[in-house]
Amino acid sequence: MSKRTMVAALVLGMACSGLARAEDAAKPMEMPKPGPEHKKLGYFVGNWSTKGELKPGPMGAGGKMSGMDSCSWFEGGYAVVCKSTGKSPMGPMKGMGIMSYSTEDKVYTYFGIDNMGMGDYAKGHVDNDVWTYSNESKFGGKTYKGRYTMSGIKPDSYSFKWELSEDGTTWMTMMEGKTTRQKKAAAAKSDMKS
């Protein structure tokens, strides 16, 4: 093959390659789709009622607490956003939480804020229908490891427990109770009262 023929073949090959790349670039990029881990969060979509007890500890003397959560999919289907209202021994509560799944870290994530100035970030996993989230928080100048567990998962209810530990070995229960899905008629009545 002559030098001239080789150069012509090389130029033709580069031109064809450029055309193929231009065709690929002209195709619109497809939006990624939520995976099975994201879809599992669909369990939490709906209106929920919570009754529980705050235990005596770093946050105060404790007592009964109750609340309502309204949870819906965020656009795209990757996260569930929950808005909460309730009553606790410390007074009225309002909060917002975002549950999602990190495909990079292979963990569930939770971001939450409330009207008492708290902001939380936790990582979680699911094992045999038990959801467990872990994080670190500060109360009264001390750092605590936190563990929030949702278990006894049924189609319309689950039990929860929030625990704290200074050393990650000995855990004290800070709050526990039960959350129940509100039926559509009950949820509509609740919305009318707001």
Side-chain angles (χ1 to χ4, degrees):
M1 181 183 280
S2 74
K3 222 180 201 182
R4 191 177 191 165
T5 307
M6 194 166 30
V7 169
L10 185 59
V11 169
L12 182 62
M14 287 174 30
C16 289
S17 171
L19 282 174
R21 272 187 265 140
E23 282 179 18
D24 286 345
K27 290 180 188 173
M29 240 175 102
E30 282 191 38
M31 286 288 287
K33 298 199 182 336
E37 294 87 359
H38 297 103
K39 291 178 182 172
K40 199 167 192 136
L41 292 165
Y43 170 78
F44 297 102
V45 171
N47 294 311
W48 298 84
S49 169
T50 297
K51 292 195 183 302
E53 185 177 353
L54 195 60
K55 307 291 186 180
M59 296 182 67
K64 300 286 182 195
M65 46 119 355
S66 63
M68 296 291 295
D69 294 305
S70 178
C71 302
S72 58
W73 282 110
F74 187 73
E75 190 69 33
Y78 287 97
V80 172
V81 178
C82 297
K83 292 186 178 178
S84 307
T85 60
K87 296 176 186 171
S88 79
M90 294 178 282
M93 300 182 307
K94 289 205 181 274
M96 185 169 78
I98 302 169
M99 294 182 283
S100 190
Y101 181 78
S102 169
T103 52
E104 293 293 323
D105 296 329
K106 307 281 189 255
V107 295
Y108 284 92
T109 58
Y110 173 83
F111 302 90
I113 56 170
D114 67 24
N115 63 317
M116 293 180 233
M118 299 276 295
D120 270 332
Y121 171 71
K123 293 182 178 181
H125 64 277
V126 183
D127 188 21
N128 293 324
D129 284 336
V130 175
W131 294 70
T132 305
Y133 285 87
S134 302
N135 73 341
E136 281 194 2
S137 300
K138 282 191 176 182
F139 299 105
K142 285 187 180 179
T143 300
Y144 292 91
K145 295 183 183 311
R147 181 168 64 194
Y148 187 84
T149 308
M150 294 174 280
S151 60
I153 304 287
K154 296 188 169 96
D156 292 322
S157 68
Y158 61 88
S159 297
F160 66 88
K161 184 193 294 192
W162 177 42
E163 301 167 283
L164 292 179
S165 173
E166 289 186 57
D167 60 9
T169 305
T170 306
W171 294 87
M172 60 181 153
T173 300
M174 294 305 305
M175 180 173 51
E176 60 187 336
K178 186 172 183 177
T179 299
T180 306
R181 185 185 306 275
Q182 299 298 288
K183 302 298 179 199
K184 288 183 182 178
K189 275 186 185 176
S190 172
D191 289 342
M192 288 169 50
K193 289 180 183 177
S194 316

